[in-house]
PDB file of all heavy atoms in Angstrom:
ATOM      1  N   GLN H 171       9.754  28.178   9.136  1.00 98.00           N
ATOM      2  CA  GLN H 171       8.528  27.918   8.402  1.00 98.00           C
ATOM      3  C   GLN H 171       8.147  26.448   8.495  1.00 98.00           C
ATOM      4  O   GLN H 171       8.940  25.596   8.900  1.00 98.00           O
ATOM      5  CB  GLN H 171       8.695  28.281   6.918  1.00 98.00           C
ATOM      6  CG  GLN H 171       9.635  27.358   6.167  1.00 98.00           C
ATOM      7  CD  GLN H 171       9.614  27.516   4.658  1.00 98.00           C
ATOM      8  OE1 GLN H 171       8.619  27.939   4.074  1.00 98.00           O
ATOM      9  NE2 GLN H 171      10.723  27.183   4.019  1.00 98.00           N
ATOM     10  N   ILE H 172       6.915  26.163   8.076  1.00 98.00           N
ATOM     11  CA  ILE H 172       6.479  24.818   7.731  1.00 98.00           C
ATOM     12  C   ILE H 172       6.150  24.848   6.241  1.00 98.00           C
ATOM     13  O   ILE H 172       5.468  25.760   5.767  1.00 98.00           O
ATOM     14  CB  ILE H 172       5.235  24.383   8.529  1.00 98.00           C
ATOM     15  CG1 ILE H 172       5.540  24.299  10.029  1.00 98.00           C
ATOM     16  CG2 ILE H 172       4.727  23.025   8.028  1.00 98.00           C
ATOM     17  CD1 ILE H 172       4.302  24.046  10.893  1.00 98.00           C
ATOM     18  N   VAL H 173       6.631  23.861   5.504  1.00 98.00           N
ATOM     19  CA  VAL H 173       6.390  23.838   4.067  1.00 98.00           C
ATOM     20  C   VAL H 173       6.124  22.404   3.616  1.00 98.00           C
ATOM     21  O   VAL H 173       6.746  21.454   4.102  1.00 98.00           O
ATOM     22  CB  VAL H 173       7.581  24.449   3.292  1.00 98.00           C
ATOM     23  CG1 VAL H 173       8.847  23.634   3.485  1.00 98.00           C
ATOM     24  CG2 VAL H 173       7.259  24.623   1.821  1.00 98.00           C
ATOM     25  N   LYS H 174       5.176  22.241   2.709  1.00 98.00           N
ATOM     26  CA  LYS H 174       4.943  20.950   2.079  1.00 98.00           C
ATOM     27  C   LYS H 174       6.006  20.722   1.013  1.00 98.00           C
ATOM     28  O   LYS H 174       6.386  21.637   0.291  1.00 98.00           O
ATOM     29  CB  LYS H 174       3.542  20.902   1.476  1.00 98.00           C
ATOM     30  CG  LYS H 174       2.427  20.929   2.518  1.00 98.00           C
ATOM     31  CD  LYS H 174       1.056  20.853   1.869  1.00 98.00           C
ATOM     32  CE  LYS H 174      -0.046  20.832   2.914  1.00 98.00           C
ATOM     33  NZ  LYS H 174      -1.405  20.829   2.292  1.00 98.00           N
ATOM     34  N   THR H 175       6.454  19.496   0.894  1.00 97.00           N
ATOM     35  CA  THR H 175       7.617  19.205   0.046  1.00 97.00           C
ATOM     36  C   THR H 175       7.290  18.387  -1.198  1.00 97.00           C
ATOM     37  O   THR H 175       8.189  18.108  -1.996  1.00 97.00           O
ATOM     38  CB  THR H 175       8.677  18.449   0.857  1.00 97.00           C
ATOM     39  OG1 THR H 175       8.119  17.209   1.323  1.00 97.00           O
ATOM     40  CG2 THR H 175       9.142  19.273   2.050  1.00 97.00           C
ATOM     41  N   ALA H 176       6.036  17.991  -1.390  1.00 96.00           N
ATOM     42  CA  ALA H 176       5.707  17.076  -2.487  1.00 96.00           C
ATOM     43  C   ALA H 176       6.109  17.638  -3.849  1.00 96.00           C
ATOM     44  O   ALA H 176       6.555  16.895  -4.737  1.00 96.00           O
ATOM     45  CB  ALA H 176       4.217  16.746  -2.462  1.00 96.00           C
ATOM     46  N   ARG H 177       5.981  18.942  -4.050  1.00 95.00           N
ATOM     47  CA  ARG H 177       6.271  19.534  -5.354  1.00 95.00           C
ATOM     48  C   ARG H 177       7.763  19.580  -5.674  1.00 95.00           C
ATOM     49  O   ARG H 177       8.144  19.806  -6.827  1.00 95.00           O
ATOM     50  CB  ARG H 177       5.682  20.949  -5.433  1.00 95.00           C
ATOM     51  CG  ARG H 177       4.158  20.979  -5.487  1.00 95.00           C
ATOM     52  CD  ARG H 177       3.656  22.404  -5.674  1.00 95.00           C
ATOM     53  NE  ARG H 177       2.216  22.462  -5.778  1.00 95.00           N
ATOM     54  CZ  ARG H 177       1.519  22.321  -6.908  1.00 95.00           C
ATOM     55  NH1 ARG H 177       2.184  22.120  -8.045  1.00 95.00           N
ATOM     56  NH2 ARG H 177       0.209  22.400  -6.918  1.00 95.00           N
ATOM     57  N   LEU H 178       8.610  19.363  -4.687  1.00 96.00           N
ATOM     58  CA  LEU H 178      10.044  19.410  -4.946  1.00 96.00           C
ATOM     59  C   LEU H 178      10.477  18.355  -5.951  1.00 96.00           C
ATOM     60  O   LEU H 178      11.400  18.576  -6.742  1.00 96.00           O
ATOM     61  CB  LEU H 178      10.815  19.231  -3.638  1.00 96.00           C
ATOM     62  CG  LEU H 178      10.767  20.396  -2.653  1.00 96.00           C
ATOM     63  CD1 LEU H 178      11.428  19.999  -1.343  1.00 96.00           C
ATOM     64  CD2 LEU H 178      11.460  21.622  -3.226  1.00 96.00           C
ATOM     65  N   ALA H 179       9.805  17.208  -5.946  1.00 91.00           N
ATOM     66  CA  ALA H 179      10.177  16.134  -6.869  1.00 91.00           C
ATOM     67  C   ALA H 179       9.944  16.520  -8.324  1.00 91.00           C
ATOM     68  O   ALA H 179      10.523  15.912  -9.234  1.00 91.00           O
ATOM     69  CB  ALA H 179       9.400  14.867  -6.528  1.00 91.00           C
ATOM     70  N   GLN H 180       9.098  17.525  -8.559  1.00 92.00           N
ATOM     71  CA  GLN H 180       8.795  17.944  -9.924  1.00 92.00           C
ATOM     72  C   GLN H 180       9.808  18.947 -10.472  1.00 92.00           C
ATOM     73  O   GLN H 180       9.766  19.292 -11.651  1.00 92.00           O
ATOM     74  CB  GLN H 180       7.391  18.551  -9.961  1.00 92.00           C
ATOM     75  CG  GLN H 180       6.301  17.617  -9.470  1.00 92.00           C
ATOM     76  CD  GLN H 180       4.962  18.326  -9.299  1.00 92.00           C
ATOM     77  OE1 GLN H 180       4.757  19.414  -9.817  1.00 92.00           O
ATOM     78  NE2 GLN H 180       4.056  17.698  -8.560  1.00 92.00           N
ATOM     79  N   VAL H 181      10.709  19.430  -9.635  1.00 96.00           N
ATOM     80  CA  VAL H 181      11.700  20.411 -10.061  1.00 96.00           C
ATOM     81  C   VAL H 181      12.906  19.670 -10.638  1.00 96.00           C
ATOM     82  O   VAL H 181      13.513  18.837  -9.964  1.00 96.00           O
ATOM     83  CB  VAL H 181      12.142  21.305  -8.890  1.00 96.00           C
ATOM     84  CG1 VAL H 181      13.166  22.334  -9.365  1.00 96.00           C
ATOM     85  CG2 VAL H 181      10.929  22.007  -8.277  1.00 96.00           C
ATOM     86  N   GLU H 182      13.251  19.968 -11.872  1.00 96.00           N
ATOM     87  CA  GLU H 182      14.349  19.264 -12.533  1.00 96.00           C
ATOM     88  C   GLU H 182      15.719  19.755 -12.093  1.00 96.00           C
ATOM     89  O   GLU H 182      16.675  18.983 -12.021  1.00 96.00           O
ATOM     90  CB  GLU H 182      14.217  19.399 -14.047  1.00 96.00           C
ATOM     91  CG  GLU H 182      12.975  18.706 -14.617  1.00 96.00           C
ATOM     92  CD  GLU H 182      12.911  18.799 -16.128  1.00 96.00           C
ATOM     93  OE1 GLU H 182      13.837  19.408 -16.720  1.00 96.00           O
ATOM     94  OE2 GLU H 182      11.957  18.272 -16.713  1.00 96.00           O
ATOM     95  N   GLU H 183      15.837  21.052 -11.792  1.00 97.00           N
ATOM     96  CA  GLU H 183      17.134  21.604 -11.404  1.00 97.00           C
ATOM     97  C   GLU H 183      17.588  21.036 -10.062  1.00 97.00           C
ATOM     98  O   GLU H 183      16.775  20.647  -9.222  1.00 97.00           O
ATOM     99  CB  GLU H 183      17.065  23.128 -11.304  1.00 97.00           C
ATOM    100  CG  GLU H 183      16.794  23.810 -12.623  1.00 97.00           C
ATOM    101  CD  GLU H 183      15.307  24.014 -12.868  1.00 97.00           C
ATOM    102  OE1 GLU H 183      14.489  23.322 -12.235  1.00 97.00           O
ATOM    103  OE2 GLU H 183      14.974  24.874 -13.693  1.00 97.00           O
ATOM    104  N   ASP H 184      18.890  21.012  -9.885  1.00 97.00           N
ATOM    105  CA  ASP H 184      19.454  20.602  -8.604  1.00 97.00           C
ATOM    106  C   ASP H 184      19.524  21.773  -7.628  1.00 97.00           C
ATOM    107  O   ASP H 184      19.303  21.595  -6.430  1.00 97.00           O
ATOM    108  CB  ASP H 184      20.858  20.026  -8.800  1.00 97.00           C
ATOM    109  CG  ASP H 184      20.850  18.694  -9.538  1.00 97.00           C
ATOM    110  OD1 ASP H 184      19.898  17.925  -9.366  1.00 97.00           O
ATOM    111  OD2 ASP H 184      21.806  18.443 -10.295  1.00 97.00           O
ATOM    112  N   ALA H 185      19.854  22.951  -8.134  1.00 98.00           N
ATOM    113  CA  ALA H 185      20.023  24.128  -7.281  1.00 98.00           C
ATOM    114  C   ALA H 185      18.938  25.146  -7.599  1.00 98.00           C
ATOM    115  O   ALA H 185      18.803  25.589  -8.740  1.00 98.00           O
ATOM    116  CB  ALA H 185      21.397  24.749  -7.495  1.00 98.00           C
ATOM    117  N   PHE H 186      18.155  25.513  -6.588  1.00 98.00           N
ATOM    118  CA  PHE H 186      17.093  26.497  -6.772  1.00 98.00           C
ATOM    119  C   PHE H 186      16.618  26.973  -5.405  1.00 98.00           C
ATOM    120  O   PHE H 186      16.864  26.328  -4.375  1.00 98.00           O
ATOM    121  CB  PHE H 186      15.916  25.921  -7.567  1.00 98.00           C
ATOM    122  CG  PHE H 186      15.272  24.706  -6.923  1.00 98.00           C
ATOM    123  CD1 PHE H 186      14.154  24.831  -6.115  1.00 98.00           C
ATOM    124  CD2 PHE H 186      15.796  23.440  -7.133  1.00 98.00           C
ATOM    125  CE1 PHE H 186      13.566  23.722  -5.524  1.00 98.00           C
ATOM    126  CE2 PHE H 186      15.221  22.318  -6.539  1.00 98.00           C
ATOM    127  CZ  PHE H 186      14.103  22.468  -5.745  1.00 98.00           C
ATOM    128  N   SER H 187      15.922  28.106  -5.404  1.00 98.00           N
ATOM    129  CA  SER H 187      15.451  28.714  -4.168  1.00 98.00           C
ATOM    130  C   SER H 187      14.065  28.191  -3.791  1.00 98.00           C
ATOM    131  O   SER H 187      13.259  27.826  -4.657  1.00 98.00           O
ATOM    132  CB  SER H 187      15.397  30.236  -4.334  1.00 98.00           C
ATOM    133  OG  SER H 187      14.744  30.834  -3.241  1.00 98.00           O
ATOM    134  N   LEU H 188      13.794  28.204  -2.491  1.00 98.00           N
ATOM    135  CA  LEU H 188      12.442  27.873  -2.027  1.00 98.00           C
ATOM    136  C   LEU H 188      11.418  28.899  -2.489  1.00 98.00           C
ATOM    137  O   LEU H 188      10.215  28.651  -2.371  1.00 98.00           O
ATOM    138  CB  LEU H 188      12.428  27.775  -0.500  1.00 98.00           C
ATOM    139  CG  LEU H 188      12.816  26.417   0.091  1.00 98.00           C
ATOM    140  CD1 LEU H 188      12.907  26.501   1.601  1.00 98.00           C
ATOM    141  CD2 LEU H 188      11.813  25.342  -0.314  1.00 98.00           C
ATOM    142  N   HIS H 189      11.869  30.022  -3.016  1.00 98.00           N
ATOM    143  CA  HIS H 189      10.923  30.992  -3.565  1.00 98.00           C
ATOM    144  C   HIS H 189      10.040  30.353  -4.632  1.00 98.00           C
ATOM    145  O   HIS H 189       8.905  30.785  -4.846  1.00 98.00           O
ATOM    146  CB  HIS H 189      11.674  32.182  -4.174  1.00 98.00           C
ATOM    147  CG  HIS H 189      12.289  33.085  -3.152  1.00 98.00           C
ATOM    148  ND1 HIS H 189      12.835  34.315  -3.456  1.00 98.00           N
ATOM    149  CD2 HIS H 189      12.449  32.945  -1.819  1.00 98.00           C
ATOM    150  CE1 HIS H 189      13.297  34.885  -2.358  1.00 98.00           C
ATOM    151  NE2 HIS H 189      13.083  34.067  -1.355  1.00 98.00           N
ATOM    152  N   ARG H 190      10.541  29.319  -5.291  1.00 97.00           N
ATOM    153  CA  ARG H 190       9.732  28.639  -6.307  1.00 97.00           C
ATOM    154  C   ARG H 190       8.467  28.044  -5.673  1.00 97.00           C
ATOM    155  O   ARG H 190       7.362  28.217  -6.191  1.00 97.00           O
ATOM    156  CB  ARG H 190      10.540  27.541  -6.996  1.00 97.00           C
ATOM    157  CG  ARG H 190       9.748  26.788  -8.053  1.00 97.00           C
ATOM    158  CD  ARG H 190      10.608  25.812  -8.819  1.00 97.00           C
ATOM    159  NE  ARG H 190      11.696  26.493  -9.507  1.00 97.00           N
ATOM    160  CZ  ARG H 190      12.339  25.982 -10.555  1.00 97.00           C
ATOM    161  NH1 ARG H 190      11.972  24.806 -11.052  1.00 97.00           N
ATOM    162  NH2 ARG H 190      13.326  26.636 -11.115  1.00 97.00           N
ATOM    163  N   LEU H 191       8.623  27.351  -4.562  1.00 97.00           N
ATOM    164  CA  LEU H 191       7.459  26.792  -3.875  1.00 97.00           C
ATOM    165  C   LEU H 191       6.583  27.899  -3.315  1.00 97.00           C
ATOM    166  O   LEU H 191       5.346  27.803  -3.341  1.00 97.00           O
ATOM    167  CB  LEU H 191       7.886  25.853  -2.756  1.00 97.00           C
ATOM    168  CG  LEU H 191       8.563  24.537  -3.129  1.00 97.00           C
ATOM    169  CD1 LEU H 191       8.695  23.659  -1.897  1.00 97.00           C
ATOM    170  CD2 LEU H 191       7.812  23.805  -4.218  1.00 97.00           C
ATOM    171  N   TRP H 192       7.206  28.942  -2.786  1.00 98.00           N
ATOM    172  CA  TRP H 192       6.427  30.039  -2.213  1.00 98.00           C
ATOM    173  C   TRP H 192       5.555  30.702  -3.270  1.00 98.00           C
ATOM    174  O   TRP H 192       4.383  30.997  -3.000  1.00 98.00           O
ATOM    175  CB  TRP H 192       7.368  31.081  -1.609  1.00 98.00           C
ATOM    176  CG  TRP H 192       8.077  30.634  -0.366  1.00 98.00           C
ATOM    177  CD1 TRP H 192       7.912  29.458   0.315  1.00 98.00           C
ATOM    178  CD2 TRP H 192       9.073  31.364   0.349  1.00 98.00           C
ATOM    179  NE1 TRP H 192       8.746  29.411   1.406  1.00 98.00           N
ATOM    180  CE2 TRP H 192       9.461  30.567   1.453  1.00 98.00           C
ATOM    181  CE3 TRP H 192       9.670  32.601   0.161  1.00 98.00           C
ATOM    182  CZ2 TRP H 192      10.423  30.984   2.370  1.00 98.00           C
ATOM    183  CZ3 TRP H 192      10.628  33.024   1.069  1.00 98.00           C
ATOM    184  CH2 TRP H 192      11.005  32.226   2.164  1.00 98.00           C
ATOM    185  N   ASN H 193       6.110  30.945  -4.441  1.00 98.00           N
ATOM    186  CA  ASN H 193       5.326  31.605  -5.485  1.00 98.00           C
ATOM    187  C   ASN H 193       4.174  30.723  -5.963  1.00 98.00           C
ATOM    188  O   ASN H 193       3.083  31.222  -6.283  1.00 98.00           O
ATOM    189  CB  ASN H 193       6.228  32.001  -6.655  1.00 98.00           C
ATOM    190  CG  ASN H 193       7.080  33.212  -6.341  1.00 98.00           C
ATOM    191  OD1 ASN H 193       6.649  34.112  -5.627  1.00 98.00           O
ATOM    192  ND2 ASN H 193       8.293  33.250  -6.871  1.00 98.00           N
ATOM    193  N   GLU H 194       4.383  29.415  -6.022  1.00 97.00           N
ATOM    194  CA  GLU H 194       3.292  28.507  -6.367  1.00 97.00           C
ATOM    195  C   GLU H 194       2.203  28.548  -5.292  1.00 97.00           C
ATOM    196  O   GLU H 194       1.004  28.563  -5.610  1.00 97.00           O
ATOM    197  CB  GLU H 194       3.820  27.086  -6.531  1.00 97.00           C
ATOM    198  CG  GLU H 194       4.697  26.888  -7.755  1.00 97.00           C
ATOM    199  CD  GLU H 194       5.240  25.481  -7.863  1.00 97.00           C
ATOM    200  OE1 GLU H 194       4.949  24.655  -6.958  1.00 97.00           O
ATOM    201  OE2 GLU H 194       5.943  25.187  -8.845  1.00 97.00           O
ATOM    202  N   ALA H 195       2.613  28.569  -4.036  1.00 98.00           N
ATOM    203  CA  ALA H 195       1.639  28.649  -2.947  1.00 98.00           C
ATOM    204  C   ALA H 195       0.891  29.977  -2.983  1.00 98.00           C
ATOM    205  O   ALA H 195      -0.323  30.027  -2.730  1.00 98.00           O
ATOM    206  CB  ALA H 195       2.334  28.458  -1.598  1.00 98.00           C
ATOM    207  N   LEU H 196       1.599  31.055  -3.304  1.00 98.00           N
ATOM    208  CA  LEU H 196       0.967  32.369  -3.395  1.00 98.00           C
ATOM    209  C   LEU H 196      -0.094  32.382  -4.490  1.00 98.00           C
ATOM    210  O   LEU H 196      -1.212  32.874  -4.291  1.00 98.00           O
ATOM    211  CB  LEU H 196       2.034  33.429  -3.668  1.00 98.00           C
ATOM    212  CG  LEU H 196       1.556  34.871  -3.867  1.00 98.00           C
ATOM    213  CD1 LEU H 196       0.844  35.381  -2.623  1.00 98.00           C
ATOM    214  CD2 LEU H 196       2.733  35.782  -4.207  1.00 98.00           C
ATOM    215  N   THR H 197       0.229  31.836  -5.645  1.00 98.00           N
ATOM    216  CA  THR H 197      -0.727  31.782  -6.757  1.00 98.00           C
ATOM    217  C   THR H 197      -1.967  30.977  -6.386  1.00 98.00           C
ATOM    218  O   THR H 197      -3.090  31.323  -6.784  1.00 98.00           O
ATOM    219  CB  THR H 197      -0.047  31.170  -7.997  1.00 98.00           C
ATOM    220  OG1 THR H 197       1.069  31.979  -8.370  1.00 98.00           O
ATOM    221  CG2 THR H 197      -1.016  31.068  -9.163  1.00 98.00           C
ATOM    222  N   ALA H 198      -1.767  29.934  -5.595  1.00 98.00           N
ATOM    223  CA  ALA H 198      -2.882  29.076  -5.197  1.00 98.00           C
ATOM    224  C   ALA H 198      -3.643  29.608  -3.991  1.00 98.00           C
ATOM    225  O   ALA H 198      -4.630  28.993  -3.555  1.00 98.00           O
ATOM    226  CB  ALA H 198      -2.359  27.671  -4.889  1.00 98.00           C
ATOM    227  N   GLY H 199      -3.228  30.750  -3.438  1.00 98.00           N
ATOM    228  CA  GLY H 199      -3.879  31.287  -2.248  1.00 98.00           C
ATOM    229  C   GLY H 199      -3.584  30.498  -0.991  1.00 98.00           C
ATOM    230  O   GLY H 199      -4.367  30.539  -0.036  1.00 98.00           O
ATOM    231  N   ARG H 200      -2.426  29.812  -0.971  1.00 98.00           N
ATOM    232  CA  ARG H 200      -2.088  28.940   0.152  1.00 98.00           C
ATOM    233  C   ARG H 200      -0.717  29.301   0.748  1.00 98.00           C
ATOM    234  O   ARG H 200      -0.041  28.470   1.334  1.00 98.00           O
ATOM    235  CB  ARG H 200      -2.101  27.472  -0.306  1.00 98.00           C
ATOM    236  CG  ARG H 200      -3.484  27.031  -0.804  1.00 98.00           C
ATOM    237  CD  ARG H 200      -3.441  25.639  -1.425  1.00 98.00           C
ATOM    238  NE  ARG H 200      -3.034  24.621  -0.478  1.00 98.00           N
ATOM    239  CZ  ARG H 200      -3.854  24.006   0.372  1.00 98.00           C
ATOM    240  NH1 ARG H 200      -5.161  24.314   0.391  1.00 98.00           N
ATOM    241  NH2 ARG H 200      -3.414  23.078   1.194  1.00 98.00           N
ATOM    242  N   PHE H 201      -0.340  30.579   0.587  1.00 98.00           N
ATOM    243  CA  PHE H 201       0.924  31.100   1.102  1.00 98.00           C
ATOM    244  C   PHE H 201       0.606  31.931   2.336  1.00 98.00           C
ATOM    245  O   PHE H 201       0.068  33.038   2.233  1.00 98.00           O
ATOM    246  CB  PHE H 201       1.599  31.936   0.022  1.00 98.00           C
ATOM    247  CG  PHE H 201       2.993  32.401   0.357  1.00 98.00           C
ATOM    248  CD1 PHE H 201       3.935  31.540   0.891  1.00 98.00           C
ATOM    249  CD2 PHE H 201       3.372  33.716   0.091  1.00 98.00           C
ATOM    250  CE1 PHE H 201       5.229  31.971   1.165  1.00 98.00           C
ATOM    251  CE2 PHE H 201       4.659  34.155   0.366  1.00 98.00           C
ATOM    252  CZ  PHE H 201       5.584  33.282   0.898  1.00 98.00           C
ATOM    253  N   CYS H 202       0.917  31.388   3.511  1.00 98.00           N
ATOM    254  CA  CYS H 202       0.392  31.953   4.753  1.00 98.00           C
ATOM    255  C   CYS H 202       1.511  32.348   5.710  1.00 98.00           C
ATOM    256  O   CYS H 202       2.658  31.936   5.566  1.00 98.00           O
ATOM    257  CB  CYS H 202      -0.531  30.928   5.422  1.00 98.00           C
ATOM    258  SG  CYS H 202      -1.959  30.487   4.379  1.00 98.00           S
TER     259      CYS H 202
END
Side-chain angles (χ1 to χ4, degrees):
Q171 69 169 334
I172 296 173
V173 64
K174 293 181 178 177
T175 61
R177 290 184 178 273
L178 289 173
Q180 302 170 17
V181 181
E182 295 183 0
E183 295 91 340
D184 291 327
F186 59 95
S187 170
L188 274 174
H189 288 190
R190 179 174 300 202
L191 292 189
W192 290 356
N193 285 326
E194 291 178 359
L196 177 61
T197 300
R200 298 172 62 84
F201 187 46
C202 299

